[in-house]
Amino acid sequence: MTMSITRLDAAAAARQRLALIDLLVDSVEHGASVNFVQPMTREKAARWWEGALLSHARGERVLFVATADDGHLAGSVQLILAGQENQAFRADIGKLLVHSSARRQGIGAALMQAAEAEARRLGRTLLTLDTETDSDGERLYLKLGWTRFGIVQGYATTADGTHRADCSFFYKQV
Ligand SMILES: CC(C)(COP(=O)(O)OP(=O)(O)OC[C@H]1O[C@@H](n2cnc3c(N)ncnc32)[C@H](O)[C@@H]1OP(=O)(O)O)[C@@H](O)C(=O)NCCC(=O)NCCS
């Protein structure tokens, strides 16, 4: 199956709303540490995406999606532009999500490469992110040349709610 990576404008993002909700629910149900604790619900995911899509429509973030040739949404990532006047060259990477049925096929890496290229184009040459320590996300960022500059112990409750996991903080100059 071939996959295309697309930057969505506000209208296209609104059309993908339900698929984006599904993607977030799927990730949390499969244990991803992306700010939610199970049980994950469509209501929680819808509330989160409502805020994110409003922010996207205001031009505060860039949204890329990976779409399979059958039209299914397989992944997404956001480039969140720092709003501070003195950090106009920085952005955060947020909510990199690949559907559990589509992992280990290079989609996460392709989404990250698209986000990094867009950051360069926008002059956002310093990128930052954080992710659960020893997670698939951490392995991906290390492979893509990100620098881990610290680990905070017990930073966030795991998706299954059992304990507090460590969090790794990364940056990359692009
Ligand atoms: C992290 C995530 C986005 C990776 O997406 P993906 O499409 O499976 O990643 P890719 O196939 O592009 O993997 C690229 C590289 O990352 C590393 N990697 C990714 N998943 C891995 C895993 N399960 N085990 C070991 N290495 C892994 C490998 O180096 C891999 O390269 P390789 O396949 O040639 O060995 C995906 O697992 C996911 O959506 N997880 C849940 C959400 C999440 O945790 N997001 C990050 C939050 S900050």
Side-chain angles (χ1 to χ4, degrees), residues 61-106:
R61 54 184 79 197
V62 177
L63 174 62
F64 283 97
V65 293
T67 313
D69 49 14
D70 65 2
H72 272 91
L73 194 80
S76 74
V77 69
Q78 296 176 44
L79 187 66
I80 303 163
L81 310 177
Q84 299 91 328
E85 186 181 14
N86 66 348
Q87 293 181 28
F89 50 84
R90 189 180 69 77
D92 284 309
I93 296 287
K95 294 280 185 297
L96 172 67
L97 305 170
V98 173
H99 195 274
S100 56
S101 63
R103 292 187 185 157
R104 292 313 288 277
Q105 299 175 50

Short mmCIF file of all heavy atoms in Angstrom, two decimals, residues 61-106:
data_model
loop_
_atom_site.label_atom_id
_atom_site.label_comp_id
_atom_site.label_asym_id
_atom_site.label_seq_id
_atom_site.Cartn_x
_atom_site.Cartn_y
_atom_site.Cartn_z
N ARG A 61 -0.51 26.31 14.35
CA ARG A 61 0.13 25.00 14.15
C ARG A 61 -0.08 24.52 12.73
O ARG A 61 -0.99 24.98 12.03
CB ARG A 61 -0.37 23.97 15.17
CG ARG A 61 -1.84 23.79 15.22
CD ARG A 61 -2.26 22.82 16.32
NE ARG A 61 -2.26 23.42 17.65
CZ ARG A 61 -2.27 22.73 18.79
NH1 ARG A 61 -2.29 21.42 18.77
NH2 ARG A 61 -2.28 23.34 19.95
N VAL A 62 0.79 23.61 12.33
CA VAL A 62 0.72 23.01 11.00
C VAL A 62 0.39 21.54 11.22
O VAL A 62 0.91 20.91 12.15
CB VAL A 62 2.09 23.14 10.28
CG1 VAL A 62 2.06 22.47 8.93
CG2 VAL A 62 2.49 24.61 10.17
N LEU A 63 -0.50 21.01 10.38
CA LEU A 63 -0.95 19.62 10.55
C LEU A 63 -0.66 18.82 9.29
O LEU A 63 -1.07 19.21 8.19
CB LEU A 63 -2.46 19.63 10.84
CG LEU A 63 -3.18 18.30 10.92
CD1 LEU A 63 -2.64 17.43 12.06
CD2 LEU A 63 -4.69 18.53 11.13
N PHE A 64 0.07 17.73 9.47
CA PHE A 64 0.32 16.80 8.37
C PHE A 64 -0.40 15.49 8.67
O PHE A 64 -0.45 15.04 9.83
CB PHE A 64 1.82 16.48 8.26
CG PHE A 64 2.61 17.57 7.61
CD1 PHE A 64 3.29 18.49 8.39
CD2 PHE A 64 2.68 17.68 6.24
CE1 PHE A 64 4.03 19.50 7.82
CE2 PHE A 64 3.42 18.70 5.64
CZ PHE A 64 4.10 19.60 6.43
N VAL A 65 -0.93 14.86 7.63
CA VAL A 65 -1.51 13.53 7.79
C VAL A 65 -0.89 12.59 6.76
O VAL A 65 -0.42 13.00 5.70
CB VAL A 65 -3.05 13.53 7.62
CG1 VAL A 65 -3.72 14.30 8.73
CG2 VAL A 65 -3.47 14.06 6.25
N ALA A 66 -0.90 11.31 7.12
CA ALA A 66 -0.51 10.24 6.20
C ALA A 66 -1.78 9.53 5.78
O ALA A 66 -2.57 9.10 6.64
CB ALA A 66 0.45 9.28 6.89
N THR A 67 -1.98 9.42 4.48
CA THR A 67 -3.21 8.81 3.96
C THR A 67 -2.86 7.64 3.06
O THR A 67 -2.00 7.77 2.17
CB THR A 67 -4.03 9.85 3.15
OG1 THR A 67 -4.09 11.05 3.90
CG2 THR A 67 -5.44 9.35 2.89
N ALA A 68 -3.52 6.51 3.28
CA ALA A 68 -3.28 5.34 2.44
C ALA A 68 -3.98 5.54 1.10
O ALA A 68 -4.87 6.39 0.98
CB ALA A 68 -3.82 4.11 3.14
N ASP A 69 -3.58 4.74 0.09
CA ASP A 69 -4.20 4.93 -1.23
C ASP A 69 -5.69 4.58 -1.24
O ASP A 69 -6.41 4.98 -2.15
CB ASP A 69 -3.42 4.21 -2.35
CG ASP A 69 -3.12 2.78 -1.99
OD1 ASP A 69 -3.73 2.28 -1.03
OD2 ASP A 69 -2.28 2.16 -2.67
N ASP A 70 -6.16 3.86 -0.20
CA ASP A 70 -7.61 3.60 -0.13
C ASP A 70 -8.34 4.73 0.62
O ASP A 70 -9.53 4.62 0.91
CB ASP A 70 -7.88 2.26 0.56
CG ASP A 70 -7.43 2.26 2.03
OD1 ASP A 70 -6.94 3.30 2.52
OD2 ASP A 70 -7.58 1.21 2.68
N GLY A 71 -7.61 5.81 0.97
CA GLY A 71 -8.23 6.97 1.61
C GLY A 71 -8.20 6.95 3.12
O GLY A 71 -8.54 7.94 3.76
N HIS A 72 -7.79 5.83 3.72
CA HIS A 72 -7.76 5.76 5.19
C HIS A 72 -6.65 6.63 5.78
O HIS A 72 -5.54 6.67 5.25
CB HIS A 72 -7.55 4.33 5.64
CG HIS A 72 -8.83 3.58 5.78
ND1 HIS A 72 -9.39 2.87 4.76
CD2 HIS A 72 -9.69 3.49 6.83
CE1 HIS A 72 -10.54 2.35 5.18
NE2 HIS A 72 -10.75 2.72 6.42
N LEU A 73 -6.98 7.28 6.90
CA LEU A 73 -5.98 8.08 7.61
C LEU A 73 -5.10 7.14 8.44
O LEU A 73 -5.61 6.39 9.28
CB LEU A 73 -6.69 9.07 8.53
CG LEU A 73 -5.81 10.18 9.07
CD1 LEU A 73 -5.65 11.26 8.02
CD2 LEU A 73 -6.45 10.79 10.31
N ALA A 74 -3.80 7.17 8.19
CA ALA A 74 -2.90 6.24 8.89
C ALA A 74 -2.05 6.94 9.94
O ALA A 74 -1.46 6.28 10.80
CB ALA A 74 -1.98 5.56 7.88
N GLY A 75 -1.98 8.27 9.90
CA GLY A 75 -1.15 8.94 10.89
C GLY A 75 -1.25 10.45 10.79
O GLY A 75 -1.81 10.99 9.81
N SER A 76 -0.72 11.12 11.80
CA SER A 76 -0.70 12.59 11.78
C SER A 76 0.41 13.10 12.68
O SER A 76 0.91 12.38 13.55
CB SER A 76 -2.05 13.17 12.25
OG SER A 76 -2.17 13.03 13.65
N VAL A 77 0.79 14.34 12.44
CA VAL A 77 1.76 15.02 13.30
C VAL A 77 1.49 16.52 13.23
O VAL A 77 0.97 17.01 12.22
CB VAL A 77 3.22 14.71 12.89
CG1 VAL A 77 3.59 15.34 11.55
CG2 VAL A 77 4.21 15.16 13.97
N GLN A 78 1.84 17.22 14.30
CA GLN A 78 1.64 18.66 14.32
C GLN A 78 2.93 19.38 14.64
O GLN A 78 3.73 18.91 15.46
CB GLN A 78 0.60 19.01 15.39
CG GLN A 78 -0.74 18.41 15.04
CD GLN A 78 -1.76 18.64 16.13
OE1 GLN A 78 -1.86 19.73 16.66
NE2 GLN A 78 -2.52 17.61 16.43
N LEU A 79 3.08 20.50 13.97
CA LEU A 79 4.19 21.40 14.24
C LEU A 79 3.55 22.61 14.93
O LEU A 79 2.76 23.33 14.31
CB LEU A 79 4.80 21.80 12.90
CG LEU A 79 6.07 22.62 12.87
CD1 LEU A 79 7.23 21.81 13.45
CD2 LEU A 79 6.38 23.01 11.43
N ILE A 80 3.84 22.76 16.21
CA ILE A 80 3.19 23.82 16.99
C ILE A 80 4.16 24.99 17.11
O ILE A 80 5.23 24.87 17.73
CB ILE A 80 2.78 23.27 18.37
CG1 ILE A 80 1.87 22.04 18.17
CG2 ILE A 80 2.09 24.34 19.21
CD1 ILE A 80 1.72 21.17 19.40
N LEU A 81 3.80 26.09 16.48
CA LEU A 81 4.72 27.22 16.35
C LEU A 81 4.78 27.98 17.67
O LEU A 81 3.74 28.38 18.21
CB LEU A 81 4.24 28.15 15.22
CG LEU A 81 3.92 27.43 13.89
CD1 LEU A 81 3.37 28.41 12.86
CD2 LEU A 81 5.16 26.71 13.35
N ALA A 82 5.98 28.15 18.20
CA ALA A 82 6.11 28.88 19.47
C ALA A 82 5.55 30.29 19.27
O ALA A 82 5.86 30.97 18.30
CB ALA A 82 7.59 28.94 19.87
N GLY A 83 4.70 30.73 20.22
CA GLY A 83 4.06 32.03 20.08
C GLY A 83 4.85 33.17 20.70
O GLY A 83 4.54 34.34 20.48
N GLN A 84 5.89 32.82 21.46
CA GLN A 84 6.64 33.86 22.16
C GLN A 84 7.43 34.71 21.16
O GLN A 84 8.07 34.18 20.24
CB GLN A 84 7.63 33.24 23.15
CG GLN A 84 6.97 32.40 24.23
CD GLN A 84 6.83 30.93 23.85
OE1 GLN A 84 6.66 30.59 22.69
NE2 GLN A 84 6.89 30.05 24.83
N GLU A 85 7.40 36.02 21.38
CA GLU A 85 8.08 36.95 20.46
C GLU A 85 9.57 36.62 20.33
O GLU A 85 10.15 36.76 19.26
CB GLU A 85 7.89 38.38 20.99
CG GLU A 85 8.41 39.45 20.07
CD GLU A 85 8.21 40.85 20.65
OE1 GLU A 85 7.91 40.96 21.86
OE2 GLU A 85 8.37 41.81 19.89
N ASN A 86 10.16 36.15 21.44
CA ASN A 86 11.61 35.90 21.41
C ASN A 86 11.95 34.47 21.00
O ASN A 86 13.09 34.05 21.10
CB ASN A 86 12.24 36.25 22.76
CG ASN A 86 11.77 35.31 23.87
OD1 ASN A 86 10.82 34.57 23.68
ND2 ASN A 86 12.42 35.39 25.01
N GLN A 87 10.94 33.70 20.53
CA GLN A 87 11.22 32.33 20.05
C GLN A 87 10.56 32.10 18.69
O GLN A 87 10.08 31.00 18.40
CB GLN A 87 10.73 31.29 21.06
CG GLN A 87 11.51 31.31 22.36
CD GLN A 87 11.04 30.26 23.34
OE1 GLN A 87 10.53 29.22 22.98
NE2 GLN A 87 11.23 30.54 24.61
N ALA A 88 10.59 33.10 17.86
CA ALA A 88 9.92 33.02 16.56
C ALA A 88 10.60 32.02 15.63
O ALA A 88 10.11 31.76 14.54
CB ALA A 88 9.89 34.40 15.92
N PHE A 89 11.71 31.47 16.08
CA PHE A 89 12.48 30.49 15.30
C PHE A 89 12.29 29.07 15.83
O PHE A 89 12.97 28.15 15.41
CB PHE A 89 13.98 30.84 15.40
CG PHE A 89 14.41 31.05 16.82
CD1 PHE A 89 14.76 29.98 17.62
CD2 PHE A 89 14.40 32.32 17.38
CE1 PHE A 89 15.09 30.16 18.95
CE2 PHE A 89 14.73 32.51 18.72
CZ PHE A 89 15.08 31.42 19.50
N ARG A 90 11.34 28.87 16.77
CA ARG A 90 11.19 27.56 17.42
C ARG A 90 9.79 26.99 17.21
O ARG A 90 8.83 27.74 17.03
CB ARG A 90 11.46 27.68 18.93
CG ARG A 90 11.55 26.33 19.66
CD ARG A 90 11.82 26.51 21.15
NE ARG A 90 10.68 27.09 21.86
CZ ARG A 90 9.59 26.41 22.18
NH1 ARG A 90 9.47 25.14 21.86
NH2 ARG A 90 8.60 27.03 22.83
N ALA A 91 9.69 25.67 17.21
CA ALA A 91 8.38 25.00 17.19
C ALA A 91 8.49 23.70 17.96
O ALA A 91 9.59 23.14 18.11
CB ALA A 91 7.95 24.73 15.75
N ASP A 92 7.35 23.23 18.47
CA ASP A 92 7.26 21.93 19.13
C ASP A 92 6.65 20.93 18.16
O ASP A 92 5.77 21.28 17.38
CB ASP A 92 6.32 22.00 20.34
CG ASP A 92 6.95 22.70 21.52
OD1 ASP A 92 8.07 22.32 21.89
OD2 ASP A 92 6.31 23.62 22.07
N ILE A 93 7.10 19.71 18.27
CA ILE A 93 6.42 18.61 17.57
C ILE A 93 5.39 18.04 18.54
O ILE A 93 5.71 17.76 19.71
CB ILE A 93 7.42 17.50 17.19
CG1 ILE A 93 8.46 18.03 16.19
CG2 ILE A 93 6.70 16.26 16.65
CD1 ILE A 93 7.95 18.25 14.79
N GLY A 94 4.17 17.85 18.06
CA GLY A 94 3.12 17.33 18.94
C GLY A 94 2.32 16.22 18.30
O GLY A 94 2.13 16.20 17.07
N LYS A 95 1.83 15.31 19.15
CA LYS A 95 0.88 14.26 18.74
C LYS A 95 1.28 13.58 17.43
O LYS A 95 0.49 13.51 16.48
CB LYS A 95 -0.54 14.84 18.62
CG LYS A 95 -1.15 15.29 19.94
CD LYS A 95 -1.70 14.16 20.77
CE LYS A 95 -2.40 14.69 22.02
NZ LYS A 95 -1.52 15.42 22.96
N LEU A 96 2.50 13.06 17.41
CA LEU A 96 2.86 12.17 16.30
C LEU A 96 2.14 10.85 16.56
O LEU A 96 2.40 10.17 17.56
CB LEU A 96 4.38 11.95 16.27
CG LEU A 96 4.84 10.89 15.28
CD1 LEU A 96 4.59 11.32 13.83
CD2 LEU A 96 6.31 10.54 15.48
N LEU A 97 1.23 10.50 15.68
CA LEU A 97 0.39 9.30 15.87
C LEU A 97 0.37 8.49 14.58
O LEU A 97 0.07 9.03 13.52
CB LEU A 97 -1.06 9.71 16.19
CG LEU A 97 -1.29 10.66 17.37
CD1 LEU A 97 -2.75 11.13 17.36
CD2 LEU A 97 -0.94 9.98 18.68
N VAL A 98 0.68 7.21 14.69
CA VAL A 98 0.51 6.30 13.55
C VAL A 98 -0.46 5.22 14.01
O VAL A 98 -0.31 4.67 15.13
CB VAL A 98 1.85 5.70 13.10
CG1 VAL A 98 1.64 4.63 12.04
CG2 VAL A 98 2.76 6.81 12.56
N HIS A 99 -1.46 4.93 13.21
CA HIS A 99 -2.46 3.94 13.60
C HIS A 99 -1.78 2.61 13.92
O HIS A 99 -0.82 2.21 13.26
CB HIS A 99 -3.48 3.75 12.47
CG HIS A 99 -4.71 3.05 12.93
ND1 HIS A 99 -4.81 1.67 12.97
CD2 HIS A 99 -5.88 3.54 13.42
CE1 HIS A 99 -6.00 1.34 13.44
NE2 HIS A 99 -6.67 2.45 13.72
N SER A 100 -2.31 1.93 14.95
CA SER A 100 -1.66 0.70 15.42
C SER A 100 -1.57 -0.36 14.31
O SER A 100 -0.70 -1.23 14.37
CB SER A 100 -2.42 0.15 16.62
OG SER A 100 -3.77 -0.05 16.27
N SER A 101 -2.43 -0.27 13.31
CA SER A 101 -2.41 -1.26 12.23
C SER A 101 -1.41 -0.92 11.13
O SER A 101 -1.25 -1.67 10.18
CB SER A 101 -3.80 -1.37 11.60
OG SER A 101 -4.14 -0.13 11.00
N ALA A 102 -0.75 0.25 11.27
CA ALA A 102 0.11 0.72 10.17
C ALA A 102 1.54 1.02 10.61
O ALA A 102 2.27 1.71 9.91
CB ALA A 102 -0.51 1.97 9.54
N ARG A 103 1.93 0.49 11.77
CA ARG A 103 3.25 0.86 12.31
C ARG A 103 4.38 0.06 11.67
O ARG A 103 4.15 -0.97 11.04
CB ARG A 103 3.25 0.69 13.83
CG ARG A 103 2.32 1.73 14.45
CD ARG A 103 2.35 1.77 15.95
NE ARG A 103 1.33 2.74 16.39
CZ ARG A 103 0.77 2.74 17.57
NH1 ARG A 103 1.12 1.87 18.48
NH2 ARG A 103 -0.15 3.64 17.85
N ARG A 104 5.59 0.55 11.86
CA ARG A 104 6.84 -0.07 11.36
C ARG A 104 6.86 -0.18 9.84
O ARG A 104 7.40 -1.11 9.28
CB ARG A 104 7.09 -1.44 11.99
CG ARG A 104 7.40 -1.41 13.47
CD ARG A 104 8.44 -0.40 13.92
NE ARG A 104 9.83 -0.66 13.56
CZ ARG A 104 10.64 -1.45 14.24
NH1 ARG A 104 10.20 -2.05 15.32
NH2 ARG A 104 11.89 -1.61 13.88
N GLN A 105 6.26 0.80 9.18
CA GLN A 105 6.32 0.84 7.72
C GLN A 105 6.92 2.17 7.25
O GLN A 105 6.80 2.53 6.09
CB GLN A 105 4.91 0.70 7.12
CG GLN A 105 4.22 -0.58 7.45
CD GLN A 105 2.78 -0.59 6.93
OE1 GLN A 105 2.52 -0.28 5.77
NE2 GLN A 105 1.85 -0.91 7.80
N GLY A 106 7.49 2.91 8.20
CA GLY A 106 8.14 4.16 7.84
C GLY A 106 7.23 5.38 7.86
O GLY A 106 7.66 6.47 7.48
#
